[in-house]
Amino acid sequence: MVRFTALAISTLSIGISDAAQTSCASDEVQFAEGCVSRTSAYQSAYDFLYSNLPSWDKTNKQSLGFHDSVTPDTDGLDDGIATLGLNISLDAQQKFSWAWDLPQDIYQEYVATYAHVNEARVDWRPIITTATSTILDNAPSTTDLSTVEDVVSYINSQMWHTETSGLINNVTFKSSQTPLIYDPMSTLVYGYASCTGVSILFADALKSVGIAARVSGTPAWNGAYENGNHNWIEVYLPETGEWAFMEAAPAGGGETLSNPCDKWFCSPTKMANGTQFFSSRFDSNSGVAYPMAWDLENLEVPGDDRTAYYQDACNKC
């Protein structure tokens, strides 16, 4: 397997000038463990992605940017959304102080990854990075962006409107769209998606600024598929080492990461009869499958079983 070298400098602007100063050199990336050379960080993330590709991505690995041999780079044919996106994610990791406390393994699985579940593989990162950069660049000077929760809340309040994000459409919630519309580019083009689509778009926006995020949800309320399913996101909080959850604003406004009970679905009624909950992963050795309500026979998407966490948190509401 050929490991391609990280780009030294990205041509993509990634937003605000951070007042905090990293102790790492310009060719290094800061993680919770310390400074790592950008080349090493790139190759470690490349290896993680390559070794955990689902079967459909293994078939298309060269289109994603993974190559087993060196071939002439003709007219961009060696480029791929996974590897180009990986370079952009390293730019964000170098740039934003709120990302510096991320453990490297969390960065690799929840920031550097190019997809969450089995959504279409699209080149979302340049477009969404430009949008989140616009949002952060235009934030009023009084805006507090000192913590991960601050940044998550602010981006969630701004990214769904063209006048604040610069994206091609406003994005609204429209039920029953998955699996027709749930990859981030389709959501942007149509201007709507249901809970899965807006959750993926929201998580990708956070990943574009160095915040670890993943899709979470239940395939069946109260253990009955006829009761429907739901998706939202979880965000990794470096200060606690824990995951907190909220919905994308089009699906549920006025929510925070700090209060589980401000979500409409976090209640004993929704927990009844053993509702199960899962979060998506990329590590194929997780030992758990993420159940997709739109593709229940597909067990290739890894996951975390989060049932105990949600049952405990939401039965207290």
Side-chain angles (χ1 to χ4, degrees):
M1 179 178 64
V2 176
R3 301 175 181 177
F4 288 88
T5 303
L7 300 178
I9 299 174
S10 172
T11 58
L12 186 66
S13 172
I14 59 168
I16 62 175
S17 177
D18 200 316
Q21 296 295 315
T22 176
S23 60
C24 299
S26 60
D27 61 350
E28 293 179 324
V29 182
Q30 185 165 332
F31 297 104
E33 298 89 344
C35 300
V36 178
S37 76
R38 180 167 172 134
T39 297
S40 175
Y42 177 92
Q43 291 184 346
S44 293
Y46 181 105
D47 290 347
F48 171 79
L49 296 176
Y50 188 90
S51 63
N52 288 287
L53 294 174
S55 63
W56 54 87
D57 286 345
K58 288 179 181 177
T59 301
N60 294 311
K61 64 183 180 181
Q62 291 193 6
S63 297
L64 292 170
F66 300 103
H67 299 275
D68 291 323
S69 61
V70 176
T71 57
D73 187 5
T74 304
D75 197 26
L77 294 179
D78 281 351
D79 295 340
I81 61 171
T83 48
L84 289 179
L86 177 51
N87 273 296
I88 299 172
S89 76
L90 286 169
D91 291 342
Q93 186 65 31
Q94 287 179 303
K95 176 74 174 180
F96 296 115
S97 60
W98 52 73
W100 298 343
D101 290 330
L102 277 182
Q104 191 171 0
D105 62 336
I106 295 292
Y107 157 78
Q108 289 177 170
E109 187 165 9
Y110 302 107
V111 177
T113 41
Y114 54 87
H116 296 272
V117 285
N118 67 342
E119 73 269 27
R121 278 42 177 156
V122 293
D123 193 21
W124 58 266
R125 202 177 290 261
I127 291 174
I128 295 179
T129 298
T130 298
T132 51
S133 295
T134 297
I135 290 168
L136 295 178
D137 283 341
N138 293 334
S141 59
T142 55
T143 305
D144 186 0
L145 298 175
S146 57
T147 69
V148 166
E149 184 167 1
D150 293 332
V151 179
V152 170
S153 296
Y154 189 69
I155 288 177
N156 198 21
S157 72
Q158 302 294 307
M159 66 171 287
W160 311 102
H161 313 286
T162 57
E163 63 268 25
T164 50
S165 69
L167 292 169
I168 61 172
N169 275 318
N170 294 333
V171 176
T172 60
F173 176 85
K174 186 176 181 180
S175 63
S176 304
Q177 296 306 302
T178 309
L180 299 176
I181 300 168
Y182 68 118
D183 73 86
M185 300 298 277
S186 293
T187 299
L188 291 176
V189 169
Y190 281 91
Y192 57 79
S194 49
C195 59
T196 306
V198 295
S199 295
I200 288 174
L201 180 56
F202 185 24
D204 286 343
L206 298 180
K207 289 164 66 171
S208 77
V209 295
I211 293 174
R214 62 188 185 181
V215 173
S216 298
T218 178
W221 290 118
N222 311 119
Y225 289 107
E226 60 268 25
N227 289 346
N229 66 92
H230 193 43
N231 284 119
W232 51 89
I233 73 159
E234 289 186 343
V235 174
Y236 182 81
L237 303 177
E239 59 269 27
T240 64
E242 297 178 347
W243 293 89
F245 69 102
M246 70 187 306
E247 294 179 285
E255 298 179 357
T256 65
L257 288 173
S258 57
N259 181 13
C261 299
D262 62 15
K263 288 75 174 174
W264 63 267
F265 58 85
C266 195
S267 68
T269 300
K270 288 293 187 181
M271 301 302 108
N273 203 34
T275 302
Q276 293 184 303
F277 300 91
F278 299 86
S279 296
S280 62
R281 296 193 60 177
F282 204 84
D283 186 347
S284 58
N285 296 310
S286 71
V288 176
Y290 181 81
M292 298 175 286
W294 59 94
D295 195 1
L296 285 171
E297 294 183 4
N298 184 344
L299 302 179
E300 279 202 58
V301 175
D304 268 344
D305 188 333
R306 297 280 285 162
T307 302
Y309 167 77
Y310 283 101
Q311 285 286 343
D312 178 66
C314 296
N315 272 308
K316 296 174 181 175
C317 296

